[in-house]
Amino acid sequence: MKNGMKKTAAVVMAAMLMGTGAVVPAAEDMGIFSQTAIVAEAASVGKVTGLKSKTLSNSEIQLNWSKVKGASGYTVYMRKNGKYNKLGDCKGTSYTVKKLPNATRENFKVRAYKTVKGKKVYGKYSANWNTATNPQACKGLKVSSVGTDSVKLSWTKIGCTNYRIYQNIKGKWKEIGKTTGTSYTVKKLAPATKYQFKIRACKQDDKKTNNNHYGKYSGVVTATTKKSDKITQADIDAMKKELQEYSKSKATYVKEHYTEFWKYGIDYNTLEEFFDYYAKDCTPEESGYDTVDTIHFGESVSTLNDFIKLYKDYIDYEYNKRGDVYYVVYIESCPKGLDVNPNPCWAVYLLY
């Protein structure tokens, strides 16, 4: 009778402890008193907390968690087809999952266990943790087309969330854009200039962790933009320099008589100083000129070359007509145009 009462009490206690969520071996594997002891041990196995991860590559993820006091080891699980399947056991608080698909998000749980009389008794599962592997390295990056101010890049499609584009700017690689497609056009570049680019794939992690996983960089590609056919400020500056030198070569009278001109010995002493003096001080408001010629902002370089030839003829004509002056080529930018040309233009004066 006494033994029956003890047995009944042990069964009740076992039932109460099993309500804690601990997992115990089947009753038929041992006597009731041994089972009661194991249930008590299971109840003391703590829940795994602090589960985190570190993505090691495009196929490996390292899991880490906080130590559970008194645990003999830990079992790691990964979700597949809606169920958590066992991956393996470990004694420490770190486990590396290998041979995973690249750029793939996986879900994990861990629980601690104690070994009692050769049997594992488990604590509760940790909270779910999900993370992703890195994408593979991007391949096939090439320059598809080149313009005067743009370069189009393209590459081979791989598994990822998006692709990040990088440009070498003053010796440092800077991210300049991203796309979900397999091509990207870099714009607002300078004409006739060499550029370097590379890309890498990104697997975006879930929003609560706000982490991204990146593949290795692609190889570097180089592209040189085409020379623009449109006239630039640099073209105008070069034209002004060329025409000014041409005007100097034609100023025969000035070369022979510059010492007789006003302010000799005050503002200038040599012929070159004379030329510099006039080039700096002559403006349309303070000098004489006959007409104003204009060059439209949208015109081509070929137009500019024709203009230079015509203007040299114009300089020849003026020196033949009046040889005792020095002509200064003065050019100003007129974004809103002039009366003689309402379009944005460069206004060219021949001052004397």
Side-chain angles (χ1 to χ4, degrees):
M1 183 68 177
K2 290 182 179 180
N3 288 339
M5 292 179 64
K6 288 181 179 180
K7 194 174 207 180
T8 301
V11 171
V12 171
M13 182 181 295
M16 293 175 63
L17 289 173
M18 288 175 72
T20 64
V23 179
V24 300
E28 59 267 21
D29 292 340
M30 62 196 71
I32 191 65
F33 294 110
S34 298
Q35 183 181 1
T36 303
I38 291 175
V39 171
E41 287 286 351
S44 68
V45 180
K47 178 181 178 180
V48 170
T49 59
L51 180 59
K52 300 291 182 183
S53 66
K54 179 181 180 181
T55 298
L56 302 179
S57 68
N58 65 339
S59 63
E60 295 185 355
I61 293 173
Q62 184 184 76
L63 301 172
N64 298 280
W65 55 89
S66 301
K67 184 177 181 180
V68 175
K69 185 178 180 180
S72 303
Y74 305 87
T75 302
V76 179
Y77 302 82
M78 185 173 77
R79 191 169 69 188
K80 185 176 182 180
N81 299 326
K83 296 181 179 180
Y84 280 91
N85 301 298
K86 178 180 176 179
L87 291 178
D89 295 331
C90 63
K91 297 298 183 182
T93 56
S94 177
Y95 186 92
T96 299
V97 187
K98 301 180 180 181
K99 296 182 179 180
L100 295 170
N102 64 78
T104 303
R105 182 170 289 109
E106 305 289 359
N107 290 266
F108 303 95
K109 285 184 178 181
V110 179
R111 61 176 177 169
Y113 66 84
K114 283 185 179 180
T115 303
V116 181
K117 294 186 180 297
K119 302 291 182 178
K120 291 179 181 176
V121 290
Y122 290 90
K124 291 184 178 180
Y125 286 98
S126 69
N128 168 72
W129 179 261
N130 71 81
T131 188
T133 52
N134 294 339
Q136 60 181 304
C138 285
K139 299 177 181 178
L141 178 62
K142 64 180 180 180
V143 177
S144 296
S145 62
V146 177
T148 57
D149 61 353
S150 65
V151 171
K152 184 178 181 180
L153 306 170
S154 62
W155 52 88
T156 304
K157 183 178 180 179
I158 61 172
C160 64
T161 306
N162 54 53
Y163 304 89
R164 305 299 175 94
I165 295 84
Y166 298 82
Q167 179 182 335
N168 189 335
I169 300 176
K170 296 181 179 179
K172 294 183 179 180
W173 289 99
K174 180 180 179 181
E175 183 179 324
I176 59 171
K178 63 181 180 179
T179 180
T180 57
T182 55
S183 66
Y184 186 87
T185 301
V186 187
K187 301 179 180 179
K188 297 182 179 180
L189 301 176
T193 304
K194 182 184 292 186
Y195 294 95
Q196 287 185 315
F197 306 98
K198 64 182 179 181
I199 64 171
R200 63 175 174 169
C202 171
K203 175 65 177 179
Q204 188 172 326
D205 212 329
D206 65 10
K207 295 180 180 179
K208 68 181 180 182
T209 59
N210 197 31
N211 290 322
N212 290 323
H213 304 282
Y214 294 95
K216 294 181 179 180
Y217 287 103
S218 68
V220 176
V221 295
T222 302
T224 301
T225 50
K226 295 179 180 179
K227 189 179 187 306
S228 175
D229 188 46
K230 300 299 181 182
I231 297 172
T232 65
Q233 183 64 53
D235 294 324
I236 292 296
D237 292 342
M239 180 197 76
K240 178 179 179 179
K241 182 179 180 181
E242 181 179 346
L243 291 178
Q244 195 61 61
E245 291 298 323
Y246 188 77
S247 178
K248 287 181 183 180
S249 70
K250 296 293 181 177
T252 303
Y253 181 85
V254 170
K255 293 176 184 178
E256 296 174 352
H257 299 278
Y258 75 92
T259 58
E260 302 169 16
F261 297 158
W262 184 54
K263 289 195 176 182
Y264 172 70
I266 301 174
D267 291 328
Y268 64 89
N269 295 288
T270 66
L271 179 61
E272 283 304 315
E273 287 178 355
F274 171 84
F275 285 143
D276 291 341
Y277 166 70
Y278 267 84
K280 291 177 182 177
D281 288 12
C282 281
T283 64
E285 292 75 22
E286 299 174 353
S287 307
Y289 58 92
D290 294 329
T291 59
V292 180
D293 296 295
T294 62
I295 302 173
H296 183 242
F297 280 177
E299 290 184 309
S300 68
V301 175
S302 60
T303 302
L304 184 64
N305 292 333
D306 292 338
F307 185 91
I308 292 173
K309 293 176 183 177
L310 290 173
Y311 227 73
K312 285 182 177 179
D313 291 340
Y314 184 30
I315 291 173
D316 288 342
Y317 172 78
E318 291 297 330
Y319 273 115
N320 288 331
K321 184 175 69 172
R322 185 179 177 188
D324 60 347
V325 298
Y326 171 57
Y327 291 99
V328 174
V329 180
Y330 183 93
I331 303 177
E332 64 181 3
S333 175
C334 305
K336 297 182 179 180
L338 295 171
D339 291 340
V340 293
N341 185 345
N343 299 308
C345 60
W346 287 277
V348 185
Y349 301 81
L350 193 61
L351 308 177
Y352 58 87

